[in-house]
Amino acid sequence: MSTERPERWTQATVYPDMWADPADDPRNSEGPSPDGEAATLADYLTNYRHTLRMKCEGLDAEQLARRSVPPSTMSLLGLVRHLARAERDWRNWITDGEPLPKLYGARDADFDGALPDPALVEAAWQDLAREQAALDARLDAHPDLGERLGAQRLSVREIQVHRIEEYARHCGHADLLRECVDGRVGQ
């Protein structure tokens, strides 16, 4: 872990507390908000997914795998892997069949296995995209947010809210992790 403290900075020029200028922000919410509960939940989830990607942009494998504060195993790469694992776990919660195997194995392997290897970084992003798409498709087949799925009889709404909560919490971690890596700040 690097002991030098990076200088705080932002890429934004319009608002100094922003991550990027509004014109460059994929989360830009100019215009009307989504209509309906399902569309609102999907919009929030999409924005948190964008936030995670933004917090990781421009970093190399070593920076992405850099641990926060010992003894924590948390890193930006670990968060990407963790969220891929969580997406698979949520899909397993609502399946009626045999669950898929754990994505990275034993507990905390998503963080422990987050090593500074470009191939691992690429694989983590592929895993996350695949698992997000698979669960999105599974939930899109059930437009009634009150419908209960799987052996635990979880509602579609509960899964969606839990996903938003998990991404939001970890985007907060990503804020701090990124600032520790190169000093970049912003919402």
Side-chain angles (χ1 to χ4, degrees):
M1 183 173 135
S2 175
T3 57
E4 69 182 63
R5 289 187 136 147
E7 189 73 28
R8 298 180 88 216
W9 65 282
T10 180
Q11 189 170 312
T13 59
V14 177
Y15 303 107
D17 63 335
M18 302 285 276
W19 184 261
D21 288 327
D24 300 326
D25 192 337
R27 304 163 303 173
N28 193 347
S29 59
E30 297 293 320
S33 61
D35 286 329
E37 184 181 4
T40 299
L41 293 172
D43 189 55
Y44 270 85
L45 182 59
T46 297
N47 285 335
Y48 281 120
R49 287 174 172 176
H50 282 306
T51 299
L52 179 67
R53 276 207 170 269
M54 292 168 72
K55 295 297 176 172
C56 295
E57 278 177 351
L59 299 178
D60 63 27
E62 185 281 322
Q63 291 170 312
L64 288 168
R66 193 176 297 168
R67 304 280 172 92
S68 58
V69 181
S72 175
T73 59
M74 193 174 289
S75 67
L76 288 164
L77 178 57
L79 289 178
V80 172
R81 290 166 49 99
H82 173 73
L83 288 164
R85 180 189 61 81
E87 292 279 0
R88 176 171 285 189
D89 288 349
W90 294 321
R91 189 162 38 123
N92 280 335
W93 291 356
I94 62 172
T95 188
D96 291 322
E98 285 296 311
L100 296 166
K102 291 284 186 189
L103 193 56
Y104 300 112
R107 181 177 169 86
D108 291 333
D110 40 355
F111 289 104
D112 291 335
L115 304 173
D117 176 346
L120 280 175
V121 171
E122 181 62 30
W125 286 114
Q126 288 174 2
D127 291 343
L128 182 60
R130 181 190 64 246
E131 296 302 324
Q132 288 171 336
L135 183 54
D136 288 348
R138 176 87 160 100
L139 293 174
D140 286 349
H142 302 278
D144 176 359
L145 295 175
E147 184 178 352
R148 297 194 171 274
L149 306 171
Q152 296 181 41
R153 308 308 299 155
L154 299 171
S155 72
V156 173
R157 177 183 295 102
E158 185 176 358
I159 294 294
Q160 288 293 70
V161 169
H162 189 62
R163 291 169 89 190
I164 293 165
E165 177 270 335
E166 188 79 359
Y167 277 88
R169 186 166 62 97
H170 290 311
C171 283
H173 294 130
D175 284 340
L176 296 173
L177 287 162
R178 179 62 187 253
E179 189 173 350
C180 285
V181 169
D182 73 348
R184 187 167 179 188
V185 296
Q187 90 305 349

